[in-house]
Amino acid sequence: MTGRGEPPEGPPEPPGGEDEYRSLVFDESFVRAARLQEFSARERMGEPARAVRSVGSLTGRGTRRRSRAAVLLVLLITLAFATAVYIGFRNPYPKPVGRHVEPLRTTVIPLAPRDAVPGGAPDDLFSGGPAAQFPTGASGVNLPPVRRTENFSNSQVTAALATVKDYLVASSLDPDVLSGRIVRPVGRLLDPDQTAQFDRSMSAPADDGRHTATGWLVRFDPADVELADTDIRVQGSLSYAETGSDTLEVVSDHTFTYALRPAASGPHRSDDASLFTVRRELHFVIDREDLRLHRLEVHSAYVQAGPQSCSADAAGALRPLLAGERADDRGPDGTDPYATGLPKAGLCGTLTVSSPPQGPPPGPHAATSRPSRP
């Protein structure tokens, strides 16, 4: 009887070899259902390592980030555009709420000569009187030294004074305004709240202290007189003060001397001119809105003008006495204290020329007030 023989494959291998799992049998369905799974880099490297994102994850998150950046950029552009529009349309100098623009108060006093009005050539008349050293035209309206105030800068004060100068030039030196042909150069410089009063003063002047055209501007009747010399002599001063955190007050005091002659009705002689002098003291109020729009308010006007007769109606236009003429003996119109409506105060002054040619005097002529006779 022979012993157990070795298997045909050879002698068995020692324990621990591959034959250790020989008893495990995997059927075909188990093998087919098995999955091969490859560990990720993070799993292979351990917990501290970061997993590599898939391409799909990177694409989705990148798209979302770009979308957020695009939305943020659009919002920033919209905000910048809205800010620019707001700054462009916003008024940087808001007009004080509730500030009331006062109507102009005017006083126009004719100055009557004691003797006949002297005549001659314009150059001879100027050289022999107080206006000999006066500058001509706009050069006689000089701005004072400018210093900032508590609430207004140097540039703002300068702008206010420049607006006043423009008003004085337009209302006292423009030949078309002087002849009564136009009034727009003056009206366009006024605050809109005074436009209605100005328009009524031009269309229906009245000696009531509110609607006197010659309080707003210097005007002659072209049917009576014309300029004999376009070089108008000017001398005076400007001063300013801050009257509130939003307002400046400017005071102008100027003397204007005109060479006039009778209106053209034929050839003129060279010696038929005469001088006419107007002293204007005007008080202006300018707020921040006025500064921005280059306009002003005329608060009050005190005007002396001669030679004229005391009885002359100078509400609509000044009535000069020309070479060789004398003032009449009538005084200003009487005043009735019992009358209703705005009171009329008839005033007149006596025209005397006493200042020497050297050195500009403070005013055109020394005028003594003569109250109206009832």
Side-chain angles (χ1 to χ4, degrees):
M1 186 172 179
T2 60
R4 187 178 179 182
E6 294 181 353
E9 296 84 2
E13 294 182 359
E18 291 182 0
D19 289 340
E20 182 179 356
Y21 303 101
R22 189 173 296 169
S23 61
L24 297 176
V25 178
F26 302 99
D27 59 10
E28 185 178 355
S29 62
F30 178 84
V31 172
R32 193 178 294 116
R35 292 180 58 191
L36 291 177
Q37 179 178 0
E38 181 179 357
F39 291 107
S40 66
R42 177 178 180 179
E43 291 171 331
R44 291 197 302 269
M45 295 177 63
E47 189 63 28
R50 199 171 198 150
V52 178
R53 297 183 203 142
S54 66
V55 174
S57 175
L58 283 174
T59 304
R61 293 189 181 184
T63 302
R64 287 194 296 272
R65 281 191 174 182
R66 286 194 295 271
S67 299
R68 291 196 198 100
V71 171
L72 182 59
L73 180 60
V74 171
L75 288 176
L76 289 175
I77 294 174
T78 303
L79 180 61
F81 179 75
T83 302
V85 171
Y86 174 75
I87 293 176
F89 285 96
R90 178 176 174 268
N91 182 0
Y93 303 116
K95 190 170 185 176
V97 178
R99 199 179 78 79
H100 179 65
V101 176
E102 296 289 338
L104 170 64
R105 303 191 308 271
T106 62
T107 302
V108 179
I109 301 176
L111 302 178
R114 292 173 175 170
D115 302 314
V117 177
D123 291 341
D124 295 336
L125 293 172
F126 281 127
S127 63
Q133 305 300 321
F134 286 8
T136 59
S139 61
V141 185
N142 296 314
L143 304 188
V146 174
R147 292 183 181 179
R148 64 164 296 130
T149 64
E150 183 178 354
N151 295 288
F152 290 88
S153 65
N154 285 8
S155 61
Q156 289 173 322
V157 174
T158 301
L161 293 171
T163 304
V164 169
K165 177 174 180 176
D166 289 344
Y167 183 89
L168 293 173
V169 170
S171 64
S172 308
L173 300 174
D174 187 326
D176 290 329
V177 172
L178 295 176
S179 64
R181 286 192 289 267
I182 60 174
V183 297
R184 178 169 171 75
V186 181
R188 67 181 177 81
L189 294 171
L190 295 174
D191 188 285
D193 290 340
Q194 288 191 318
T195 301
Q197 183 189 9
F198 175 78
D199 291 342
R200 180 179 169 186
S201 300
M202 298 301 111
S203 60
D207 186 16
D208 58 4
R210 290 289 188 271
H211 303 97
T212 306
T214 49
W216 298 94
L217 47 79
V218 177
R219 183 161 72 175
F220 305 107
D221 188 341
D224 296 332
V225 299
E226 65 180 18
L227 289 174
D229 190 343
T230 56
D231 288 335
I232 301 166
R233 307 300 175 97
V234 185
Q235 178 68 40
S237 63
L238 288 172
S239 61
Y240 65 91
E242 181 179 308
T243 55
S245 59
D246 292 306
T247 55
L248 283 171
E249 182 180 55
V250 180
V251 178
S252 69
D253 187 359
H254 289 81
T255 299
F256 302 87
T257 305
Y258 307 86
L260 304 177
R261 64 187 177 191
S265 57
H268 286 287
R269 302 194 315 270
S270 60
D271 60 348
D272 61 353
S274 60
L275 298 185
F276 188 83
T277 305
V278 180
R279 179 175 178 178
R280 306 180 75 199
E281 182 180 325
L282 306 177
H283 289 240
F284 302 93
V285 176
I286 302 175
D287 59 27
R288 296 186 184 277
E289 181 77 358
D290 294 329
L291 275 178
R292 187 177 71 87
L293 298 176
H294 190 65
R295 67 191 190 195
L296 45 74
E297 305 159 27
V298 190
H299 188 260
S300 65
Y302 182 83
V303 180
Q304 297 175 334
Q308 297 184 97
S309 293
C310 290
S311 59
D313 181 7
L318 299 172
R319 308 293 178 181
L321 294 172
L322 300 176
E325 295 181 341
R326 292 177 177 268
D328 57 35
D329 294 333
R330 288 178 51 201
D333 292 337
T335 300
D336 182 4
Y338 296 100
T340 59
L342 290 173
K344 290 185 177 181
L347 298 174
C348 188
T350 301
L351 178 63
T352 61
V353 180
S354 58
S355 301
Q358 292 79 17
H365 304 90
T368 57
S369 178
R370 186 169 69 193
S372 62
R373 294 181 298 207

